Amino acid sequence: MLEISELNVYFIDDFNYLKFFFKNNKYSKIFILVDKNTNKYCLHLIEKYINEFKLIKIKDGEENKNIDSCNIIWNNLIKNNADRKSLLINLGGGIITDIGSFCASTYKRGIDFINIPTTLLAQVDASIGGKCGINFKNIKNSIGLFVNPRCVFIIKDFLQTLSKREYNSGFAEMIKHSLLKSKNDFEDLLIKYSNLTIVDIYNSVKIKYEIVKKDYKENGLRKILNFGHTIGHAIETLSINKKNRLLHGEALIIGIICELYISHKVLDTDINLINYIIYKLIKMFGYFDINSYSIKEILEIIKNDKKNFYENINFSLMKDIGNFAYDINVPEKIIKESINYYKNLN
Ligand code: GLY
């Protein structure tokens, strides 16, 4: 079995392994947190391995990653007399693991929690790095902390529960990780697209792990993990009110393409390399129509981005595959150009 032992992250192909973990466990009570989807599609795949548990359900969606959902979780824990020796298992995508981790680590000053990410996106991104929290007053992740789960189970069999769009959304984060690492990793991943193994997932998480290990609290290097996210996040936020809402990874691919363009303009990154990567990304993920997204609105969201300080708009950019820079100030004019560049790619 593959693992990142320092963080107790276990990579397994199927659900059977869970029976060894939950047998003779030391917990006084076990709670499982789910949303509508993981209750329907994922819970039955693991529940037989856990003798007795209480279920906590919250609404799905980014709009419910808020204090109301925390109230539901904390109320359930209190109502069922959860004590310091209780365990919360967070079964779901990044929203469930973020909010569940936050509630567990604040309940009675912190109880154990385990994350079982059920989407490819959560397996390769939210699974490690210790970020947890909620949105508050419409500001994404504005309340939260860094805290690591007792352990994480990354189970490949959950990929079967995903739609193609959900799968691609996670694959987009894997592509970003591969660009942070090496040309070989990027090329290799493109070939493996429809045939991902647990080793590929492990390799992707390992790229993030090596970065986070050096800068857990995101004071510097960790910011390179935000590549593609400054514009991607703004587009994702705007898409909430559109007819065709974009998934995180879809917005991320748009963001990566825009930020590759910016990398060329600001860091003089080789244009042939930029064109090559963009060609591969469009071929793999297709083109997302963002013609109805106004550049003014995109810029407004970017200006509120957490990476900005002293009123500058800062990006993480690519000098070469495997070589990134962070805290790069980019003039508004070039950001606008990059969005127009994307719009005209079709
Ligand atoms: N998702 C980026 C990070 O964990 O830092």
Side-chain angles (χ1 to χ4, degrees):
M1 183 184 51
L2 291 163
E3 61 183 277
I4 296 177
S5 51
E6 202 189 324
L7 297 176
N8 297 321
V9 184
Y10 303 107
F11 298 80
I12 50 186
D13 274 310
D14 57 50
F15 302 107
N16 261 321
Y17 176 83
L18 294 179
K19 73 172 169 239
F20 302 111
F21 188 84
F22 290 108
K23 210 168 152 188
N24 307 324
N25 74 76
K26 60 183 170 75
Y27 294 106
S28 59
K29 285 196 175 99
I30 296 182
F31 296 81
I32 303 185
L33 177 67
V34 291
D35 64 19
K36 189 178 75 194
N37 295 317
T38 54
N39 188 32
K40 190 165 168 196
Y41 299 110
C42 303
L43 182 64
H44 70 278
L45 298 169
I46 66 151
E47 63 185 340
K48 63 171 175 263
Y49 302 110
I50 305 160
N51 280 347
E52 217 180 295
F53 64 88
K54 298 233 177 311
L55 197 62
I56 306 179
K57 284 187 233 170
I58 56 170
K59 287 189 192 148
D60 59 322
E62 186 69 34
E63 60 277 24
N64 293 305
K65 189 176 151 182
N66 58 21
I67 196 73
D68 297 335
S69 298
C70 292
N71 272 331
I72 295 172
I73 298 168
W74 287 321
N75 269 320
N76 265 280
L77 292 172
I78 289 173
K79 196 175 72 192
N80 291 295
N81 302 315
D83 59 19
R84 295 282 296 276
K85 293 203 175 333
S86 298
L87 170 76
L88 180 66
I89 300 174
N90 301 311
L91 180 69
I95 294 170
I96 285 285
T97 57
D98 264 22
I99 196 168
S101 307
F102 174 68
C103 287
S105 47
T106 46
Y107 180 76
K108 292 192 190 272
R109 298 205 171 89
I111 59 169
D112 272 4
F113 62 97
I114 288 176
N115 287 343
I116 307 186
T118 56
T119 62
L120 182 58
L121 179 62
Q123 291 185 347
V124 296
D125 188 13
S127 61
I128 66 151
K131 284 184 179 174
C132 65
I134 54 167
N135 305 331
F136 190 66
K137 303 240 179 241
N138 284 330
I139 306 171
K140 208 167 148 71
N141 301 324
S142 45
I143 307 288
L145 56 148
F146 287 91
V147 60
N148 282 314
R150 168 78 185 73
C151 68
V152 182
F153 293 110
I154 295 186
I155 310 170
K156 192 193 150 235
D157 268 359
F158 273 124
L159 301 190
Q160 289 161 15
T161 66
L162 303 179
S163 67
K164 188 167 186 293
R165 274 187 80 194
E166 286 285 357
Y167 181 88
N168 282 357
S169 183
F171 196 71
E173 282 287 352
M174 293 178 79
I175 287 285
K176 183 203 75 184
H177 286 170
S178 73
L179 288 172
L180 295 175
K181 186 73 195 295
S182 73
K183 187 139 194 265
N184 263 354
D185 282 72
F186 177 62
E187 299 290 354
D188 208 40
L189 194 59
L190 289 174
I191 296 165
K192 288 180 168 158
Y193 165 70
S194 53
N195 239 335
L196 281 183
T197 65
I198 196 72
V199 181
D200 302 319
I201 298 172
Y202 168 79
N203 286 337
S204 190
V205 174
K206 197 83 195 300
I207 296 171
K208 175 168 178 179
Y209 168 67
E210 296 297 342
I211 294 165
V212 168
K213 200 163 65 168
K214 291 185 189 136
D215 176 28
Y216 183 54
K217 289 278 177 87
E218 199 172 313
N219 294 314
L221 181 72
R222 183 168 176 170
K223 293 179 189 176
I224 67 173
L225 286 166
N226 293 323
F227 177 61
H229 283 74
T230 306
I231 292 180
H233 169 227
I235 290 188
E236 185 183 2
T237 306
L238 266 184
S239 97
I240 291 172
N241 298 319
K242 303 278 177 190
K243 210 165 72 213
N244 298 319
R245 188 171 172 167
L246 292 168
L247 297 181
H248 176 76
E250 294 169 338
L252 173 59
I253 289 298
I254 300 171
I256 288 178
I257 292 175
C258 293
E259 295 180 23
L260 283 170
Y261 174 94
I262 296 173
S263 298
H264 168 63
K265 289 284 165 179
V266 176
L267 301 180
D268 203 22
T269 308
D270 180 7
I271 190 65
N272 293 321
L273 178 65
I274 299 285
N275 285 339
Y276 171 74
I277 300 170
I278 292 173
Y279 166 75
K280 290 284 183 185
L281 295 183
I282 299 273
K283 200 165 155 216
M284 169 137 287
F285 294 93
Y287 176 83
F288 304 99
D289 186 356
I290 54 159
N291 281 308
S292 65
Y293 292 56
S294 92
I295 293 188
K296 188 167 165 272
E297 283 174 310
I298 296 175
L299 272 173
E300 255 159 44
I301 299 172
I302 292 173
K303 282 180 187 162
N304 285 323
D305 191 278
K306 66 180 185 301
K307 290 177 293 301
N308 300 328
F309 53 91
Y310 305 132
E311 311 264 309
N312 288 332
I313 304 181
N314 289 302
F315 283 75
S316 297
L317 298 175
M318 190 185 90
K319 293 186 199 154
D320 195 356
I321 297 183
N323 183 5
F324 281 70
Y326 54 85
D327 286 344
I328 305 292
N329 177 232
V330 177
E332 264 191 47
K333 181 178 159 287
I334 295 182
I335 303 173
K336 285 182 190 163
E337 257 178 50
S338 77
I339 298 160
N340 276 326
Y341 167 81
Y342 182 85
K343 286 185 172 183
N344 289 319
L345 273 177
N346 200 17

